[in-house]
Amino acid sequence: MSASLELWPSSPRGTAPSRLDRLRRKVAELPCALLLFAQLTALVAYPFIETRAGDVRETGRAIFGLIGLLVLFLAVRAVRATPALTWVAVLLGGPVVLLTVAEAIWPLNDVLAFWSALLHALFYFYTGYGLLRYMFADNWVTRDELYATGATFTVVAWGFAYLYVAVQLIWGNSFTIYGETNPGTRTWFELLYLSITTMTSTGLSDIIAVEAHARAFVLLQQIAGMLYVALVVARLVGLTIARFRQ
């Protein structure tokens, strides 16, 4: 039995699995689908938090971050993460959880916000690295590995969004909105919007990097997005076509 299936013990022999057992098995077999679904749901749900005012918005964002981290931990465990991944997840994940809670308590503390954003970015990037290793582990494409192409994309996009938060805390007024007279401080969701439009190369968003260091990180993401399509997506599509030709 695979390591992922062992997360959910099967029903005793001689009894038909219940609907809940079948659902649990599906979740165990498709961890990347769960991760992708959770992050796409977050894209739709987050604006309802973003539009609320004051402490309610900051607390909601912190809770949202904790839920996202929980899904990431489950995804990393379910794809049979290497010992190195588990070690890094514990090393980065623990402080990230504490800093996320601290942000909810002290939402205006820039030092907490910087370290939280930086560790979030590192955690998401390393999770993306783990998902890449998962997809490149063999020459056989499973259904979950196809979901992993989308999950890896969203994980990396989330990582760059948090990186941009850290960048604007170091170099103020790094990003501006088209038509704005003076660059201001962008919210995390606005920077996620910039991250995804940059990663997909669908064109420039209305949010622009105006500071040299910020533009350097945007350039890095543009290169990463191009390489992701050229190397990862092309490889999985090629293996899938080869499989159907056999």
Side-chain angles (χ1 to χ4, degrees):
M1 183 179 292
S2 65
S4 60
L5 293 182
E6 291 175 355
L7 292 175
W8 304 105
S10 58
S11 301
R13 292 182 179 179
T15 61
S18 66
R19 182 175 299 179
L20 180 59
D21 286 335
R22 291 195 297 269
L23 177 61
R24 287 174 173 175
R25 185 170 292 272
K26 279 292 183 183
V27 170
E29 291 175 348
L30 301 173
C32 293
L34 174 63
L35 174 59
L36 179 60
F37 175 78
Q39 293 200 287
L40 293 180
T41 303
L43 289 178
V44 178
Y46 191 86
F48 293 97
I49 299 173
E50 185 79 2
T51 54
R52 293 183 179 273
D55 295 338
V56 175
R57 181 179 64 184
E58 296 298 332
T59 303
R61 185 167 72 88
I63 295 173
F64 215 75
L66 289 175
I67 295 174
L69 287 174
L70 175 61
V71 175
L72 278 176
F73 275 120
L74 292 175
V76 170
R77 174 64 182 87
V79 297
R80 304 188 194 97
T82 65
L85 263 177
T86 305
W87 178 76
V88 171
V90 173
L91 180 65
L92 294 178
V96 164
V97 170
L98 294 176
L99 286 171
T100 303
V101 174
E103 273 193 286
I105 300 174
W106 299 287
L108 301 179
N109 191 311
D110 288 344
V111 175
L112 283 176
F114 169 76
W115 286 108
S116 177
L118 186 61
L119 289 179
H120 268 89
L122 291 175
F123 186 83
Y124 275 92
F125 287 146
Y126 207 89
T127 303
Y129 165 73
L131 292 173
L132 286 174
R133 289 192 60 177
Y134 172 60
M135 290 187 288
F136 279 78
D138 51 45
N139 292 324
W140 184 261
V141 181
T142 65
R143 183 166 53 164
D144 191 54
E145 286 177 348
L146 293 177
Y147 283 114
T149 60
T152 306
F153 180 91
T154 56
V155 162
V156 174
W158 254 249
F160 271 102
Y162 279 108
L163 185 61
Y164 293 153
V165 172
V167 166
Q168 76 172 355
L169 286 170
I170 298 176
W171 298 284
N173 302 326
S174 292
F175 304 94
T176 188
I177 293 181
Y178 180 78
E180 190 177 52
T181 305
N182 297 312
T185 300
R186 307 272 67 87
T187 66
W188 177 83
F189 192 69
E190 288 175 332
L191 294 175
L192 179 62
Y193 178 71
L194 170 65
S195 177
I196 292 178
T197 54
T198 301
M199 193 85 173
T200 56
S201 300
T202 53
L204 293 176
S205 70
D206 58 338
I207 301 173
I208 308 167
V210 293
E211 202 275 334
H213 295 90
R215 288 182 173 180
F217 285 106
V218 170
L219 289 173
L220 289 177
Q221 187 176 14
Q222 289 173 336
I223 295 171
M226 179 188 65
L227 292 176
Y228 182 76
V229 174
L231 298 178
V232 179
V233 177
R235 178 181 182 273
L236 291 182
V237 170
L239 289 175
T240 303
I241 292 175
R243 173 184 175 183
F244 283 104
R245 286 180 176 176
Q246 293 177 354

